[in-house]
Amino acid sequence: MKTKAEERTITKDGQLLLKKMEQDQVETVWDRLEAQSPQCGYCEMGLSCRVCAMGPCRIDPFGEGPQRGVCGADADIIVARNLGRMIAAGAAAHSDHGRDLVEVLAEVAAGKAPEYSITDEEKLRRIAREYGVETEGREVLEIAGELAAAMQEEFGTRKGFLTMANRAPAKRREIWQKVGIAPRGVDRETSEMMHRTHMGVDNGWQSLLLHGLRNALSDGWGGSMIATEVSDILFGTPAPTPNMVNIGVLKEDEVNIVVHGHNPVVSEMIMRACESAEMVELARKKGAKGINLTGLCCTGNELLMRHGIPMAGNHLMTELVIGTGAVEMMIVDYQCIMPSLGALAPCYHTRMISTSDKARFPGMEHREFHPDNAAELARTLVREAIENFDQRGETYIPVEAVPSVGGFSVEAIIGALGGTPQPLIDAITAGKIRGAVGVVGCNNPKIKHDYGHVTLTKRLIENDCLVVDTGCAAIANAKAGFKVAEAIKYAGPGLQEVCGALGIPPVLHMGSCVDNVRILVLAAALANALQVDISDLPLAGAAPEWYSEKAVSIGSYFVASGVYTVLGPMPPITGSMNVVNLLTSGLNDVIGASFAVEADPEKAAVLIRRHIEAKRKALGLSALDI
Ligand code: SF4
Ligand code: MSK
């Protein structure tokens, strides 16, 4: 029997749109999950293998059937190999996103992308110096060209250690060297993972898992970090900016254009086209009051962070947004875009546009963006969206948007603290803030939509843990009202006092999923200020509703960087207790941090608070018994 809307999501807009789409007889991701259930138990446990054509193979978890694949691989090898390939795919996705931005930077430097420019020159110079590029007395574009070339080198193997990994505390880098997981090149580690997991290469489940950590580090301190830093250089480093969130950001009387995906290269141009006087005038002539650009998922987060563009919703809202009947055009780039969207849109009047040469979708018109045609194509698409306004039928926008504040880059947080992390360290030392937690990651229809994020965040802030968030978690928490100054009413007394004095919310929106690296940079800054390792700090990470391979890479680079990380959904590893035990406890002895898995956010909050108090005690700070 079909589950009710109230069991699928905690959000009002989600529930109402789900009911509407049921009336419209349009299927959603939840319906398809039910149609797929029960899902394959072998795959859920990581015990199926289709690495080669002697297979596919599967291992019987009850010990009665085969215990080895055709090649002889046992459960430990197969589970570790499957997990390794998940990490590789996630790292590749983030890192390829980073590469795309570096290519735009290179084209800007070469004068081949005239509509893009260097927005944060100070950051360009700072990062260039980090890469050993001479900045004194040189032209901006010259520096940009040399920095882009230096970053492109990082994708290969020529240097042996990633430049920005030097931001990690010395103790952390020593651990990486000792364990043999220091990331050498962005693409190299992913490529090596694919090599190791080929039949007949690495059949040590421990060495496979350790390389998985190195692969993830090449994402966190490499590809993703490059993506974030270059996005800031090109489009501006975020600063606190108010915005509105939930499906109520769509407007009955305006042309609604939604951008979805991850890469700001397309969406920034769409934003500029939407703001042009010519387009606004055209929309008015068509009978609309204006053009309303809103975002979804992480492309939405990129625009929200830098420009305060309204956010229509996170991953599980992407189909429902179309169900409002109010979207003239949805423009997508890549990652987390359900292929169902192209089939869904014709049920309404929404035009669906794909823009990346590497991401095609059934039922979408493909209009490919390149740096040299981006501005013109953006104007063309916005014009076409306006033309589509009179095709609109009935609309259903059943909720009012809620206010939120985004834009907490590391620079903005340090700025809010008065230019140094010291006030945060003092608040933690005094016990007013017990610790800080990164609540990150996706939605997954196996977990009630947004329940994991919102419940965990609520419990953490009411117990004086500062929360920083990114990705779809950040959107869930914004919708829950945790991101305005008044939200300190949800915080415990200590956090309330500190956030109240600084005028910041208790939950800080740090960006999109590549922007998890901002959390790494903040953690490193705190550790460096205290001259300890990241694993010594009262910090934790959580991905209460993760679904994507990128999230597996993120979780792995958090742990490999010394951050205890609690996952909501169980990864496909339970077919090997050796793998489970290494990841959830054994890693503590190797790298000073480990994973935990807890689907119930109430219990996850207890695990995290217990961890934070243990770290406080080890640092000689006041600690609570939990
Ligand atoms: Fe089967 Fe081994 Fe081939 Fe995997 S690699 S499909 S376990 S034979
Ligand atoms: S969009 S990777 S569902 S956070 Fe970045 Fe959301 Fe997860 Fe995609």
Side-chain angles (χ1 to χ4, degrees):
M1 209 183 69
K2 199 165 166 159
T3 47
K4 293 200 172 81
E6 290 76 10
E7 296 167 67
R8 293 178 167 189
T9 173
I10 63 165
T11 64
K12 199 72 213 141
D13 54 354
Q15 290 171 2
L16 293 170
L17 260 301
L18 268 170
K19 286 176 189 165
K20 194 235 179 202
M21 288 176 86
E22 195 175 342
Q23 278 171 11
D24 294 350
Q25 297 188 318
V26 176
E27 72 166 28
T28 64
V29 59
W30 286 273
D31 300 321
R32 292 188 296 273
L33 174 63
E34 283 172 13
Q36 284 287 339
S37 300
Q39 290 173 306
C40 171
Y42 293 98
C43 293
E44 275 182 342
M45 298 178 80
L47 285 174
S48 50
C49 181
R50 49 178 181 76
V51 156
C52 86
M54 293 192 286
C57 304
R58 54 191 195 181
I59 305 298
D60 181 3
F62 303 109
E64 287 161 13
Q67 294 301 294
R68 292 184 184 277
V70 175
C71 67
D74 62 14
D76 295 334
I77 297 170
I78 289 175
V79 168
R81 230 167 23 192
N82 287 336
L83 186 69
R85 287 195 165 200
M86 286 183 89
I87 294 172
H94 278 151
S95 300
D96 204 38
H97 170 171
R99 182 188 354 257
D100 286 342
L101 283 149
V102 177
E103 283 178 358
V104 174
L105 182 67
E107 295 204 21
V108 168
K112 291 184 188 159
E115 304 282 348
Y116 295 90
S117 57
I118 306 298
T119 303
D120 190 339
E121 192 181 319
E122 187 279 323
K123 188 156 197 172
L124 170 75
R125 289 180 183 274
R126 182 156 43 94
I127 308 271
R129 283 194 291 276
E130 211 174 330
Y131 273 81
V133 174
E134 181 58 55
T135 58
E136 221 34 59
R138 295 181 76 191
E139 290 295 320
V140 173
L141 292 186
E142 208 182 332
I143 298 168
E146 217 170 294
L147 176 61
M151 284 176 160
Q152 278 163 339
E153 287 273 298
E154 299 253 276
F155 284 84
T157 58
R158 301 258 299 267
K159 286 171 51 187
F161 189 66
L162 294 174
T163 303
M164 287 193 278
N166 286 312
R167 294 173 173 188
K171 285 186 184 169
R172 182 64 14 201
R173 281 178 279 136
E174 277 162 28
I175 292 171
W176 293 340
Q177 294 294 355
K178 195 168 131 224
V179 180
I181 59 169
R184 297 160 297 179
V186 175
D187 288 343
R188 175 178 181 166
E189 309 306 358
T190 295
S191 180
E192 185 170 314
M193 178 57 87
M194 297 311 285
H195 178 194
R196 282 176 182 246
T197 54
H198 187 281
M199 198 316 263
V201 185
D202 192 355
N203 289 288
W205 57 271
Q206 302 96 327
S207 50
L208 279 165
L209 294 176
L210 287 178
H211 185 71
L213 297 183
R214 174 152 59 176
N215 195 172
L217 288 171
S218 77
D219 170 3
W221 298 88
S224 279
M225 205 167 274
I226 288 173
T228 292
E229 300 294 34
V230 177
S231 294
D232 286 357
I233 289 170
L234 290 171
F235 306 118
T237 301
T241 317
N243 58 76
M244 302 297 284
V245 286
N246 82 25
I247 233 163
V249 299
L250 297 176
K251 297 206 170 131
E252 297 277 3
D253 49 8
E254 297 195 18
V255 174
N256 289 306
I257 299 177
V258 181
V259 285
H260 175 19
H262 283 79
N263 190 328
V265 168
V266 172
S267 50
E268 284 274 340
M269 284 297 150
I270 300 290
M271 184 190 75
R272 286 182 213 173
C274 288
E275 286 168 350
S276 84
E278 181 201 346
M279 293 299 154
V280 174
E281 185 50 35
L282 198 62
R284 292 205 177 116
K285 279 194 188 135
K286 269 277 176 185
K289 280 204 173 135
I291 306 169
N292 181 38
L293 178 68
T294 65
L296 282 171
C297 285
C298 287
T299 280
N301 276 327
E302 297 278 347
L303 292 184
L304 175 153
M305 287 285 286
R306 297 194 176 88
H307 310 288
I309 294 293
M311 170 61 79
N314 50 11
H315 182 50
L316 290 187
M317 294 300 295
T318 56
E319 294 177 317
L320 307 188
V321 164
I322 296 177
T324 60
V327 178
E328 273 58 55
M329 184 176 279
M330 184 184 286
I331 301 167
V332 307
D333 51 85
Y334 47 51
Q335 298 170 12
C336 303
I337 297 149
M338 289 191 239
S340 61
L341 291 174
L344 166 70
C347 303
Y348 305 92
H349 77 306
T350 305
R351 283 188 57 192
M352 300 294 306
I353 310 292
S354 58
T355 58
S356 165
D357 60 339
K358 56 188 105 178
R360 314 275 179 138
F361 301 86
M364 292 196 196
E365 292 170 53
H366 189 68
R367 309 283 284 278
E368 207 161 293
F369 269 67
H370 297 283
D372 58 351
N373 75 354
E376 188 50 43
L377 183 51
R379 282 190 288 273
T380 306
L381 288 179
V382 171
R383 197 175 295 121
E384 290 176 17
I386 295 167
E387 297 295 331
N388 197 27
F389 183 63
D390 56 17
Q391 297 301 308
R392 224 190 238 187
E394 266 184 40
T395 59
Y396 182 64
I397 307 173
V399 296
E400 293 288 321
V402 302
S404 149
V405 177
F408 288 94
S409 57
V410 175
E411 290 84 343
I413 293 174
I414 302 284
L417 294 170
T420 150
Q422 198 54 45
L424 181 56
I425 293 170
D426 292 345
I428 291 174
T429 307
K432 290 179 183 168
I433 295 179
R434 310 303 302 171
V437 184
V439 180
V440 308
C442 325
N443 297 132
N444 182 329
K446 294 177 179 176
I447 303 262
K448 192 194 269 192
H449 172 230
D450 286 359
Y451 173 72
H453 300 308
V454 171
T455 310
L456 176 63
T457 301
K458 195 157 185 264
R459 291 292 169 260
L460 291 172
I461 60 176
E462 70 192 18
N463 285 290
D464 289 329
C465 296
L466 177 70
V467 169
V468 293
D469 60 8
T470 61
C472 291
I475 303 166
N477 284 337
K479 282 172 71 169
F482 294 153
K483 295 191 175 167
V484 282
E486 304 75 58
I488 56 171
K489 67 178 182 230
Y490 299 116
L495 184 62
Q496 206 171 100
E497 183 191 324
V498 176
C499 292
L502 294 170
I504 57 172
V507 181
L508 304 179
H509 192 146
M510 290 191 80
S512 63
C513 41
V514 287
D515 290 338
N516 280 306
V517 302
R518 297 192 200 273
I519 301 177
L520 289 185
V521 173
L522 185 62
L526 293 176
N528 286 332
L530 284 166
Q531 295 189 314
V532 296
D533 180 33
I534 293 173
S535 67
D536 297 324
L537 297 171
L539 302 181
E545 303 180 32
W546 75 274
Y547 92 89
S548 76
E549 290 161 317
K550 291 183 293 168
V552 182
S553 179
I554 293 165
S556 302
Y557 72 61
F558 265 38
V559 168
S561 300
V563 182
Y564 170 69
T565 299
V566 182
L567 304 176
M570 174 62 88
I573 56 171
T574 51
S576 165
M577 284 319 287
N578 278 330
V579 170
V580 170
N581 289 335
L582 182 73
L583 295 179
T584 57
S585 70
L587 280 182
N588 276 316
D589 298 331
V590 186
I591 51 166
S594 66
F595 285 100
V597 182
E598 178 51 69
D600 179 347
E602 298 281 1
K603 291 183 186 158
V606 173
L607 289 179
I608 288 171
R609 290 180 55 219
R610 209 174 271 157
H611 169 81
I612 282 176
E613 296 301 331
K615 290 292 171 186
R616 291 183 61 84
K617 193 170 176 192
L619 283 170
L621 304 176
S622 66
L624 303 170
D625 265 339
I626 292 169

